[in-house]
Amino acid sequence: MKKILFSILFPLAALLSASLWMGRIEFRGHEGTEVRGCENRLCARSNLVPPHHRTTAPPKNLEINKEIGYYMERHNMQDEGYEMVVAFAGGKRHQVSIDKHVSVWNVGRWKGHRREGTALALDSLGRTVVGTCRNDSLTTGIRVDSTGNYTGDFHKEKPEGHGAYTSTDGKGYYEGHWANGRRNGFGLAAETNAEDEMNLRVGIWKNDRFMGERMLYTTERIYGIDIAKYQHSRGRRPLPILWDKLRITSVGKRGSQNVSGTVDYPVSFVYIKSTEGTTIRNRFYLKDYTEARKHGIRTGAYHFWSIRSSGAQQAQWFIRNTLFRSGDLPPVLDVEPTDAQIKIMGGEEELFAQIRTWLKMVKRYCGVKPILYVNQMFVNKHLSKQTDLKRDYGVWIARYSEYKPDVKLTYWQLCSDGHVAGIHGNVDINVFNGYQSQFETFLEETTIK
C-alpha cells in the first residue's frame, strides 16, 4: 500500500513543481518558440532574448554572438540546418504544449489502464516525465532531472524524434534529432567548455558524439587544388598539365555521396609546392606558377616542413626560392610530423617555437600572415593547445571524411583522390570555407599587396 501511495504522491508533487516552469508554451516542431525570459547562462551570455524582454541595449562581442556571426558569414540557405541556427540566433527554443490537467489514472501506471492525454510517470532511471500520451504511448513531453531538462518527442519514455535539452547550469543547449534517448542525426549545440569559452556546433551527431558538418558540394562552392612534382609524371614518363583544360570532375570516393548535381567545377585557386626543408625545390614550381597566373587562377605557394633544420633556416630557403607578387594567395606552411619526429626535434614546445619563427619571418617578408596546413589528428593532439596560433593564423586542414572539420578554417582538403581534367592521376581537392562573397572578401584582405 505504501508503494502505491508513493507512486501516486511523488509524481503529483513533481507535477506541481513542474507546473511552475511549464507555463503556457506552444509546440512549433523544428522551428521552436521564443525564449520565455532569460534564466540561464546561455540566454544571458548570448543576449538572445526576444526584443520585448530587453530593457537595455544589448552588449556586443559576446562569445555566442561571435560564434553565430562566424557561422552566418560562412553559410547560407543551401546549408543543412541554416534555418535552425537563424531561429536560435533570434532567441527561439524548441518547446511543447502540454495540458496541465492530469487525471489520477494518468499518474504512474495502473494495471489494465491505457493512458490518454496528459500523463506523469517515472522512466526506467527514475526521472520525472510529464507529457502527452496516445494509446498509452508517450508522444511528446518534458523530462526533468538534476542535470537538466529534455523537451520534445518521445517513444517508450525515451527521447525519440525532434527535441531539445538544456542543462541545469545553463552551460549547454542542444536541439535536433534524437534516437533511443541519445543525440542522433542533425542538431545544433551551444556549449561552454572548461575555459568558459562558448562553442557552437552544427552538424551530424551519432550516439551523443559530434561528427561534424556534412557539406553539400554544389556549383556555388569555391574549389581549388594543390600540386607538386607528382602531377607531372606517370612513372618515368613526364606529363604536362593542360592549364586551359582544368575542370574538377570528381571530389573523391567519399565526397561523391554529398554531391548535388554533376561535378564539373572550375579551379578557382591553386597552391603549388615550392620548397621543402632547406635543400629541396620543386623544379616545376616556376612554370606552374606562371601558367596558373596566365590562366587567371589565384595562386599561392607552400613549404613542406622538415624536422632536420630550424624554422629560420627553412623560412630563408622558402623566401629565396618563391615568388610573392601582388594578388597572390597567402603562403602556406605544410606541417605533418609524426609523434616520433616531434620527439626527435625536441618535443612539442620546440616544434611550435620553430613554427612560430617561420611564420613571423615569412609574414615580415611578404606582408601577409601565412596559413597553417595540418591534418585533423595533428589538430586534435597538438594544435588544440596552441591558442595563439589558432587565433592569429588561418588553418587549412586535411580530413578525408564526409564531415567538415570542427574548427574555424580557411580551406578544407576534402580528398586526395579527386580528378581534374587536364591533370593525370589523383589530385588533392580543396574547398574554401565560405561562398563567393566571402572568397572575394578573403582575397581583398589577405592576398599579397
Side-chain angles (χ1 to χ4, degrees):
M1 185 64 181
K2 289 182 179 179
K3 290 184 178 180
I4 296 176
L5 286 174
F6 179 79
S7 66
I8 296 174
L9 295 176
F10 179 79
L12 281 174
L15 177 60
L16 179 61
S17 61
S19 67
L20 297 177
W21 48 261
M22 281 169 59
R24 294 191 60 80
I25 51 184
E26 180 182 0
F27 181 64
R28 292 279 188 87
H30 179 90
E31 183 180 87
T33 60
E34 289 186 338
V35 179
R36 303 302 180 188
C38 190
E39 283 71 37
N40 64 60
R41 292 183 60 203
L42 269 176
C43 181
R45 294 182 63 187
S46 66
N47 191 45
L48 300 179
V49 187
H52 58 275
H53 280 284
R54 294 177 184 159
T55 57
T56 59
K60 297 179 180 180
N61 299 323
L62 295 178
E63 294 159 11
I64 194 65
N65 296 68
K66 291 179 180 179
E67 289 284 293
I68 292 174
Y70 178 82
Y71 179 91
M72 295 301 183
E73 286 176 358
R74 303 289 169 172
H75 297 77
N76 65 23
M77 290 292 292
Q78 299 180 69
D79 297 307
E80 184 179 15
Y82 182 84
E83 291 183 356
M84 182 187 291
V85 179
V86 171
F88 178 81
K92 295 185 177 181
R93 302 292 183 268
H94 182 76
Q95 297 181 341
V96 298
S97 61
I98 301 171
D99 186 346
K100 289 192 287 185
H101 173 74
V102 183
S103 166
V104 68
W105 291 102
N106 284 347
V107 176
R109 286 186 175 276
W110 300 79
K111 186 176 180 180
H113 175 70
R114 303 185 72 81
R115 297 169 297 176
E116 289 289 337
T118 303
L120 191 149
L122 301 178
D123 68 6
S124 59
L125 297 178
R127 294 171 294 191
T128 303
V129 181
V130 55
T132 302
C133 280
R134 297 285 182 270
N135 194 27
D136 203 36
S137 179
L138 185 66
T139 57
T140 60
I142 300 171
R143 186 192 68 196
V144 183
D145 60 31
S146 60
T147 62
N149 63 279
Y150 168 84
T151 303
D153 300 333
F154 281 85
H155 178 65
K156 294 183 178 179
E157 296 181 355
K158 285 186 178 182
E160 186 94 19
H162 192 82
Y165 181 84
T166 304
S167 63
T168 301
D169 60 10
K171 290 187 176 182
Y173 175 83
Y174 170 85
E175 179 182 343
H177 196 268
W178 298 71
N180 196 33
R182 295 185 176 186
R183 294 172 290 182
N184 278 287
F186 188 87
L188 170 157
E191 301 166 333
T192 302
N193 61 22
E195 288 73 38
D196 208 34
E197 298 172 333
M198 190 67 71
N199 185 33
L200 180 69
R201 289 180 167 181
V202 182
I204 304 299
W205 300 72
K206 288 186 177 180
N207 291 325
D208 281 336
R209 178 189 174 194
F210 182 66
M211 305 301 295
E213 177 183 349
R214 191 159 49 201
M215 181 181 286
L216 184 66
Y217 304 120
T218 67
T219 56
E220 284 73 29
R221 298 282 183 190
I222 310 299
Y223 302 93
I225 60 175
D226 58 274
I227 58 175
K229 66 178 183 180
Y230 310 105
Q231 280 70 45
H232 287 274
S233 63
R234 178 191 297 170
R236 295 185 177 181
R237 177 187 170 192
L239 292 173
I241 291 178
L242 306 178
W243 290 92
D244 57 340
K245 305 289 186 183
L246 294 193
R247 299 287 294 188
I248 297 172
T249 59
S250 168
V251 291
K253 185 177 180 180
R254 290 185 178 180
S256 61
Q257 59 190 326
N258 294 333
V259 171
S260 175
T262 302
V263 178
D264 183 22
Y265 310 141
V267 175
S268 297
F269 62 91
V270 58
Y271 272 92
I272 307 165
K273 181 178 180 179
S274 173
T275 55
E276 178 177 339
T278 57
T279 59
I280 298 174
R281 292 183 299 174
N282 174 17
R283 68 180 186 274
F284 299 101
Y285 167 73
L286 183 58
K287 182 178 180 181
D288 286 344
Y289 174 88
T290 303
E291 287 294 322
R293 283 182 60 101
K294 176 182 174 182
H295 286 82
I297 302 174
R298 289 289 184 165
T299 308
Y302 73 90
H303 172 82
F304 191 88
W305 182 260
S306 170
I307 64 169
R308 302 183 183 280
S309 49
S310 70
Q313 292 171 324
Q314 295 188 59
Q316 291 168 355
W317 180 249
F318 177 67
I319 290 169
R320 190 181 310 143
N321 294 283
T322 306
L323 297 173
F324 303 96
R325 293 178 179 171
S326 177
D328 283 351
L329 297 171
V332 168
L333 177 59
D334 183 343
V335 182
E336 304 181 44
T338 63
D339 288 348
Q341 290 173 326
I342 293 174
K343 186 176 181 179
I344 291 173
M345 193 171 183
E348 189 177 275
E349 185 176 342
E350 177 63 19
L351 169 67
F352 282 106
Q354 297 301 325
I355 287 174
R356 287 181 177 88
T357 297
W358 190 99
L359 294 171
K360 290 175 181 177
M361 288 181 63
V362 173
K363 177 183 180 294
R364 190 181 307 122
Y365 181 83
C366 67
V368 299
K369 287 182 179 181
I371 292 172
L372 267 174
Y373 171 95
V374 290
N375 59 42
Q376 185 71 56
M377 185 178 296
F378 186 86
V379 170
N380 296 342
K381 294 189 68 174
H382 305 293
L383 189 62
S384 59
K385 308 170 191 175
Q386 312 302 319
T387 55
D388 62 316
L389 294 181
K390 291 194 300 178
R391 180 188 65 239
D392 298 335
Y393 292 90
V395 177
W396 179 3
I397 291 185
R399 186 189 188 193
Y400 306 148
S401 164
E402 63 178 311
Y403 301 111
K404 178 179 174 183
D406 182 31
V407 295
K408 294 179 174 64
L409 71 161
T410 303
Y411 307 116
W412 170 27
Q413 188 179 94
L414 57 99
C415 75
S416 60
D417 59 343
H419 292 160
V420 178
I423 300 180
H424 169 74
N426 291 338
V427 182
D428 296 338
I429 306 298
N430 304 277
V431 60
F432 174 75
N433 188 24
Y435 289 93
Q436 185 62 42
S437 60
Q438 290 83 33
F439 188 60
E440 291 173 358
T441 300
F442 171 75
L443 296 177
E444 290 175 5
E445 295 178 351
T446 65
T447 51
I448 295 173
K449 303 298 184 279

